[in-house]
């Protein structure tokens, strides 16, 4: 074979997958999570699962598998009619309304900015600690006898 590709080279080039560059590095800087942000409300299925887990544990006290509970809950949820799902949907809707209220209050608080009481100095905690260490009067590092 003069100048041509072998069969293995052509096969491997056809089977190779073009990989996209990872975007995780850029995402971590921009998406800093706020611990004060309200959690999103549970869907109707998760509201159903809260009750189902309790009844499943009573019926199967020796079961330690989370996957088994989830699988049984999913099958039960699929078998329910819309009328049987209605109370769970209503609870989920009620939680969603509460979440929207708390998010409006949260966003309003963010727009107002930090209050004067909550403002911290420009120095980080480590800089403050470094200054305290220098002012404590101990001469641990200055023993040059």
């Amino acid at each position: 074979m003069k100048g041509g590709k072998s069969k293995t080279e052509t096969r491997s080039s056809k089977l190779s997958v073009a990989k996209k560059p990872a975007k995780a590095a850029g995402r971590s800087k921009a998406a800093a999570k706020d611990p004060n942000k309200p959690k999103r409300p549970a869907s109707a299925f998760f509201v159903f699962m809260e009750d189902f887990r309790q009844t499943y544990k009573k019926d199967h006290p020796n079961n330690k598998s989370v996957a088994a509970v989830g699988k049984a809950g999913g099958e039960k949820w699929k078998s329910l009619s819309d009328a049987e799902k209605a109370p769970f949907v209503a609870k989920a809707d009620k939680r969603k309304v509460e979440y929207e209220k708390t998010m409006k209050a949260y966003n309003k608080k963010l727009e107002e900015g930090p209050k004067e009481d909550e403002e911290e100095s420009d120095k980080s905690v480590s800089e403050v600690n470094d200054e305290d260490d220098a002012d404590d009067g101990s001469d641990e590092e200055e023993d040059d006898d």
Side-chain angles (χ1 to χ4, degrees):
M1 290 197 216
K2 296 181 183 176
K5 294 182 180 178
S6 68
K7 289 182 181 179
T8 56
E9 288 176 348
T10 56
R11 272 191 211 135
S12 64
S13 66
K14 288 180 182 176
L15 296 176
S16 65
V17 178
K19 295 184 179 180
K20 296 180 182 178
K23 295 182 180 179
R27 209 180 292 167
S28 64
K29 292 179 184 177
K33 291 187 178 181
D34 183 1
N36 298 326
K37 185 175 182 181
K39 283 189 166 186
R40 293 181 67 196
S43 67
F45 172 71
F46 282 100
V47 173
F48 162 76
M49 284 301 291
E50 290 171 2
D51 293 337
F52 181 80
R53 277 188 203 97
Q54 293 174 354
T55 58
Y56 191 85
K57 283 184 181 180
K58 289 177 185 172
D59 296 341
H60 305 88
N62 296 331
N63 182 34
K64 302 289 183 192
S65 174
V66 175
V69 177
K71 191 170 187 177
E75 290 172 2
K76 176 77 174 171
W77 178 255
K78 286 179 186 177
S79 69
L80 294 177
S81 67
D82 288 341
E84 293 170 319
K85 291 180 183 179
F88 304 109
V89 173
K91 282 184 185 178
D93 289 341
K94 186 177 179 181
R95 289 184 185 182
K96 187 175 182 181
V97 169
E98 288 294 319
Y99 168 75
E100 288 171 353
K101 286 180 185 177
T102 55
M103 275 304 293
K104 283 181 183 178
Y106 172 77
N107 288 331
K108 188 175 181 181
K109 188 176 179 183
L110 281 182
E111 288 174 6
E112 291 174 1
K115 295 180 181 178
E116 291 179 22
D117 299 343
E118 297 175 358
E119 285 186 29
E120 294 181 7
S121 66
D122 293 336
K123 293 185 179 182
S124 68
V125 173
S126 61
E127 289 174 338
V128 172
N129 289 340
D130 290 344
E131 287 179 4
D132 291 343
D133 292 342
D135 294 338
D136 69 356
S138 65
D139 296 331
E140 294 174 8
E141 295 179 18
E142 296 180 19
D143 291 335
D144 294 329
D145 297 289

